[in-house]
Amino acid sequence: MLEGDSPVLFKPVHNPGFEQYAVSNIARVMFARELIKRYPSLTSASLHPGTVNTQVYRSSGVLYRCIASILSHWWKEPEEGARTTVYCATAKLGEENGGYFVNSEFRAVNKKQVSDETQVMLWDVSMEIIQKFLMSSEE
């Protein structure tokens, strides 16, 4: 992972499946929020579609895969899981622009996991990575 002081985003990942998924979700929330701060004319949102019956647990350990195979019968089908994405892509978000959505509804974020300082760090690191990628693709 990235280096820094954030207890969530910049810590070592021990469970490569679930923990990386959780960290990537937090990063998406912060990136959407920072994007709107820097470019307020854009529309941006991060979202949780709910627990969708996909293959997200395929790289997890045996225990996670067993639990997922049992619980997946109660999870959303992919079409239902897409509803929040479609809502965020088509709604006029107004004051909720840059926000976090669950089941097509705005939700407040956990301030312990999402801070303005960490958001800026994530943005800066992301821009550095993008610049390096663009520079290497020009060669």
Side-chain angles (χ1 to χ4, degrees):
M1 291 305 304
L2 305 171
E3 293 180 11
D5 297 328
S6 169
V8 176
L9 187 64
F10 299 101
K11 70 175 188 169
V13 173
H14 302 290
N15 181 335
F18 186 75
E19 205 169 339
Q20 284 176 334
Y21 177 75
V23 170
S24 72
N25 284 339
I26 294 166
R28 285 186 297 131
V29 169
M30 289 191 287
F31 200 88
R33 290 165 41 110
E34 189 64 25
L35 180 67
I36 294 309
K37 282 185 178 179
R38 293 173 185 254
Y39 302 97
S41 63
L42 297 179
T43 298
S44 178
S46 58
L47 61 98
H48 176 52
T51 307
V52 181
N53 193 5
T54 65
Q55 297 297 314
V56 73
Y57 288 99
R58 70 183 171 274
S59 64
S60 298
V62 173
L63 178 61
Y64 281 120
R65 288 195 310 268
C66 289
I67 292 169
S69 69
I70 294 166
L71 296 178
S72 65
H73 300 290
W74 291 277
W75 295 349
K76 295 178 181 179
E77 289 302 315
E79 295 80 11
E80 186 181 0
R83 287 184 185 154
T84 302
T85 302
V86 172
Y87 171 79
C88 290
T90 58
K92 294 189 186 308
L93 300 179
E95 292 294 316
E96 297 170 345
N97 194 13
Y100 177 63
F101 293 80
V102 177
N103 293 326
S104 303
E105 295 179 0
F106 176 78
R107 296 281 174 91
V109 296
N110 183 338
K111 295 294 183 181
K112 291 180 182 177
Q113 293 179 326
V114 179
S115 71
D116 290 341
E117 180 181 309
T118 306
Q119 232 170 253
V120 171
M121 288 171 57
L122 173 63
W123 181 273
D124 292 343
V125 168
S126 298
M127 293 303 109
E128 288 176 25
I129 292 169
I130 290 169
Q131 285 178 334
K132 287 179 185 176
F133 174 77
L134 292 175
M135 298 280 247
S136 68
S137 67
E138 291 177 356
E139 295 174 356

